[in-house]
Amino acid sequence: ASASPSSFLAKDSDEPRDLFQEGALLSRLEEVLGSDHRQATEARVANIVGHLSTTFASLPKSDRGAIGAPAARYTIHRYFIQRHGWQIKGLAPAGQAWSSSSPVAALGDRMSEDVHNIFEEHLGTHGFDLHEVAVLAATLENLIHAEASGRLRSTYAKLAQDTESTLSSEDAMDIVDTYLQSILLSNNISAMSS
């Protein structure tokens, strides 16, 4: 049987969906989280890929060019430490050796079980390629950004300030102080006294 040049790279339409295709992970996340999440993630992914590429290149990979859970966890942990100075619960080794625990644990209870399952299934089936590690990192960044924005909006509301108005230096310092107190004390802003 001979193969024509046009059929060499053609995809068999009867093949099951390959979870390893670039974009497949984003598509599955979009089904659960919506197009806004996908747009926010895509806006971050290219930049994150650039930051992760050297670390990713140095790690052992499967025949498909994917890394497993410990390497993915290490890569994302290193990215957040180097890029933002963040220690993220669920990623850091906490004085232990890099275990086989999944980096998906860093999503905590802030994401639905469906989202956890999408990442876990993908990681367990194929591992993560560079793009997929970046998608998980971008998802974590989106989550952290949304949490910080929500906390800041709550701070403005607690202090009866409009987020669109210009603040006096005293009002701005009150917002910064209240915001930082809520983080350091792990308090719900609405439950804090004025």
Side-chain angles (χ1 to χ4, degrees):
S2 64
S4 71
S6 63
S7 67
F8 178 66
L9 295 176
K11 184 149 179 85
D12 183 359
S13 61
D14 295 333
E15 272 185 44
R17 184 164 105 182
D18 183 2
L19 295 178
F20 204 68
Q21 293 176 359
E22 187 169 309
L25 183 58
L26 274 175
S27 295
R28 292 188 64 209
L29 289 171
E30 182 178 17
E31 291 169 11
V32 174
L33 298 172
S35 61
D36 288 345
H37 172 78
R38 182 176 183 142
Q39 290 172 355
T41 300
E42 285 178 330
R44 295 177 188 272
V45 165
N47 186 32
I48 293 171
V49 164
H51 287 283
L52 297 177
S53 61
T54 303
T55 302
F56 189 86
S58 70
L59 296 168
K61 295 169 198 64
S62 69
D63 293 342
R64 297 188 69 149
I67 58 176
R73 193 170 137 224
Y74 169 77
T75 303
I76 295 170
H77 169 73
R78 184 175 163 103
Y79 167 74
F80 282 115
I81 290 292
Q82 289 182 332
R83 180 80 174 140
H84 301 292
W86 297 344
Q87 287 274 357
I88 297 180
K89 190 182 221 177
L91 291 179
Q96 309 294 318
W98 289 98
S99 69
S100 62
S101 64
S102 173
V104 178
L107 293 172
D109 59 358
R110 292 176 178 90
M111 284 282 180
S112 72
E113 189 174 328
D114 291 340
V115 173
H116 282 261
N117 290 340
I118 289 169
F119 279 115
E120 289 293 356
E121 175 189 340
H122 203 89
L123 183 60
T125 303
H126 295 291
F128 280 166
D129 66 13
L130 177 58
H131 181 265
E132 293 156 345
V133 173
V135 168
L136 179 54
T139 299
L140 286 166
E141 273 188 349
N142 291 340
L143 181 64
I144 293 164
H145 176 73
E147 187 176 303
S149 295
R151 186 179 291 264
L152 187 57
R153 281 190 300 277
S154 294
T155 303
Y156 271 80
K158 178 69 177 173
L159 298 176
Q161 295 292 336
D162 179 17
T163 58
E164 301 297 319
S165 65
T166 303
L167 299 171
S168 68
S169 60
E170 184 178 320
D171 288 341
M173 287 306 298
D174 286 345
I175 286 177
V176 170
D177 286 344
T178 304
Y179 179 83
L180 291 176
Q181 285 176 26
S182 74
I183 291 171
L184 293 173
L185 301 173
S186 298
N187 286 338
N188 178 348
I189 290 175
S190 60
M192 292 174 66
S193 61
S194 299

